[in-house]
Amino acid sequence: MTITSLNPADPADLVLAVEAPGAQAVRAAVGRARTAQAGWHAAGAAARSAALTRIAEAVEAHADELTALIVREVGKPLAEARGEVARTAAIWRYYAQAPFEPSGAVHEPAAGPGLLLTRRRPYGVAGLITPWNFPLAIPTWKAAPALAVGNTAVLKPAPEATACALRLAELAAAAGLPEGVLTVLPGGAEEGEALVDAADVVSFTGSTGVGRAVVHAATGRGVPVQAELGGLNAALVLPDADIEQAAANLAAAIAGYAGQKCTATSRVIAVGEAYEPLRAALVKALGLVDDTACGPVISAAARDRLTGAVASARAEGATVLTGGAVPERAGWYVEPTLLADVPAEHPLRREEFFGPIAVLLPAADLDEAIALANDTPHSLATSVHSRSLDTALAAADRLDAGMIRVNAPSSGVDFHLPFGGAKGASHGDREQGRAALDFYTASRTVTLLPAGGA
C-alpha cells in the first residue's frame, strides 16, 4: 500500500508518496522503542528536559520551512500555519520543564514509624495516532508529555499529514534525541491497529468510529487509552451580546481553516431578539472570509460530502443564507456557508461535518438555548456570547461541553490547560497541561517500614 499526500489547494502537487511499512514493521518499531525506553528514563530529568528544549529550538530554527510544509500538505492558511509552528515550539518548551515536576508525595502512616510514598512511573512505549488537521501540534502535544515523563513513543500520523510528521521526527533526531525514543511510521488502518495491539499506553485523535474501535481494542488488552473523537459544537448568542463582535468570533470559528478543527462551531443558537441582528451580521462576516482565513478542505471526498449535505438540507426545506457553492478554481474549496430552517433530524444538526458550514437556530430563552446546545451525542467546545456574568456562570455550569469559552471563538485552545470533551467526544483522561503527565504515568504506592526494632 502506498501512502500519498496531496496539496489540497493544488491536487496535482504530490507532496509525498511512501510505502506503508505493514504491521510487522510496527511491532518491530515498538520493540526498538521498548529497548530504548529504559535508557531514556534512566538518563534523568535534566537529560530529558534538555532534549525537549533542543527540539523546541530546532522547530523555531526551521519555522519558515515548517510553515510552508503545513500550508502545502494540509492547506492551512499561512497565518494559522505560522501560529501552529510557534505553538509547537511552545509545547515542547512547556513539557521540557515537566521532568522536574514532583512525581509523587509523602504521606504519614496511620500508626507507627515509616513512610508512605506515591510515585508516578512511565508505562513504557506510548502509541500515538494523530489526525491531519494540526500536523505538528497534535503529534507534539501527545509526544512531548509522553517523552518528558520517561516513555518512548511510536507515532502513526494520518496519511494526509505524513510529510509533516516525518520532518518533525527528523528535527528531533538532529537535535540529539536518542534513537528509538521517537519513531514515526507512515501508514493506514493496518499500521494503526498493530500499534494499538503493541503499545503500553495509547493516545488517539480522529474520527468517532475509528476512535471507538481503538478504545475497544486497547481496553480489551487492559492498556490505558485516551481518545479525542468528534465534536458538534454550539455557540450561544444572547440579546445583550456585542453582536458585531460575536459575528466576527463566530465567522472565525465556522470558517477558519475551512472549519477543519474539532473545536469549530457548527451550530449557532440565537436567543430571543438576537436572532435577526445576528443573522444579518453573521452573513456579512462570513461573506468577508477569504482564502487567507478559510482555505481548502482536505480532499475531494470531504468537499463532496459537504456540498451534498447542503443540497440535502435545501431539499428538505432549509434556507442557504450565504455560501454553499464550490468556487470555480483549482483545489478543494467550499464557500463559507450558513443555513437556517434545517430540520431537527438532518445530519447537519446531528453529525460533525468538518467543514466551513453552520446552521442558525432560534431559541426563546437561555433555558431553550442550553437544551439545544446539549442535544448532541458529542460536544467538545461551546462558546457563549453575552455581557452578563450571571449568564456566563449559568452556562458554564449547565452546558455539556469539555470547554466553555465566553465572548471568544469556540476554536481556541490553551495548551497548558486540560483538553477534552463531553459525552461521546472524549474517552479517558484529558490531554494537554498537567493532565497529560498523569495519563502517561502509572501511580504506585510504596510503604517503607523500619527493618528492626528501635
Side-chain angles (χ1 to χ4, degrees):
M1 174 183 174
T2 301
I3 300 297
T4 58
S5 176
L6 302 175
N7 181 346
D10 180 9
D13 176 22
L14 177 65
V15 180
L16 183 77
V18 295
E19 289 301 313
Q24 184 57 42
V26 174
R27 288 189 285 269
V30 171
R32 292 190 296 272
R34 189 165 285 119
T35 299
Q37 190 269 329
W40 172 245
H41 184 236
R48 296 197 301 277
S49 176
L52 269 60
T53 299
R54 289 194 300 270
I55 296 173
E57 292 169 346
V59 170
E60 289 168 339
H62 293 81
D64 290 345
E65 172 204 340
L66 293 172
T67 296
L69 183 58
I70 291 173
V71 171
R72 183 183 176 207
E73 185 167 39
V74 301
K76 183 164 287 193
L78 179 60
E80 291 217 23
R82 286 193 183 118
E84 180 173 350
V85 172
R87 180 179 174 191
T88 298
I91 294 170
W92 284 108
R93 287 192 185 280
Y94 173 78
Y95 285 112
Q97 303 308 307
F100 296 109
E101 290 285 322
S103 61
V106 179
H107 300 261
E108 289 292 326
L115 291 174
L116 301 180
L117 309 177
T118 60
R119 301 187 74 192
R120 301 198 69 87
R121 315 304 284 172
Y123 284 104
V125 179
L128 313 177
I129 301 175
T130 57
W132 49 262
N133 58 330
F134 287 87
L136 294 182
I138 294 181
T140 290
W141 82 48
K142 294 180 186 294
L147 300 186
V149 295
N151 298 283
T152 52
V154 177
L155 166 66
K156 192 213 77 70
E160 298 91 340
T162 300
C164 286
L166 289 172
R167 186 59 181 136
L168 181 63
E170 290 174 354
L171 291 176
L177 198 66
E179 185 176 355
V181 172
L182 176 61
T183 304
V184 173
L185 287 178
E190 177 184 350
E191 288 75 17
E193 291 170 3
L195 183 56
V196 173
D197 287 341
D200 302 310
V201 57
V202 174
S203 181
F204 170 90
T205 300
S207 68
T208 298
V210 176
R212 287 174 178 165
V214 168
V215 169
H216 183 267
T219 54
R221 295 178 52 224
V223 170
V225 56
Q226 64 181 187
E228 293 299 331
L229 312 173
L232 191 61
N233 307 307
L236 282 61
V237 182
L238 282 293
D240 67 341
D242 182 326
I243 297 297
E244 296 299 323
Q245 179 192 62
N249 286 336
L250 290 171
I254 293 167
Y257 189 22
Q260 297 174 123
K261 303 176 183 179
C262 53
T263 53
T265 294
S266 55
R267 295 177 301 148
V268 178
I269 302 170
V271 180
E273 296 177 357
Y275 186 90
E276 285 301 329
L278 179 64
R279 179 193 59 76
L282 187 51
V283 166
K284 179 181 177 181
L286 286 171
L288 295 175
V289 175
D290 59 19
D291 292 347
T292 64
C294 186
V297 296
I298 192 64
S299 67
R303 177 200 60 197
D304 294 346
R305 181 170 183 254
L306 291 165
T307 55
V310 172
S312 169
R314 181 184 276 143
E316 294 183 29
T319 301
V320 177
L321 299 177
T322 187
V326 174
E328 292 291 334
R329 58 177 301 180
W332 299 312
Y333 290 86
V334 176
E335 292 177 349
T337 303
L338 182 68
L339 299 98
D341 307 315
V342 176
E345 297 306 315
H346 191 275
L348 281 173
R349 288 183 58 173
R350 309 301 303 170
E351 301 173 13
E352 181 183 44
F353 272 79
F354 229 54
I357 296 178
V359 299
L360 179 62
L361 306 170
D365 52 28
L366 180 61
D367 289 340
E368 184 181 359
I370 290 174
L372 282 170
N374 289 343
D375 184 22
T376 172
H378 44 217
S379 179
L380 178 58
T382 297
S383 66
V384 180
H385 303 264
S386 171
R387 289 185 171 95
S388 168
L389 178 60
D390 289 347
T391 297
L393 291 175
D397 285 341
R398 296 169 59 193
L399 286 166
D400 287 338
M403 295 177 289
I404 298 163
R405 294 170 57 82
V406 178
N407 296 323
S410 64
S411 50
V413 172
D414 297 295
F415 63 77
H416 58 297
L417 295 177
F419 175 88
K423 296 185 278 193
S426 295
H427 174 90
D429 292 349
R430 295 305 200 212
E431 292 198 273
Q432 303 195 55
R434 289 191 51 80
L437 304 179
D438 291 337
F439 172 70
Y440 288 110
T441 52
S443 179
R444 298 177 182 175
T445 299
V446 180
T447 301
L448 296 176
L449 300 179

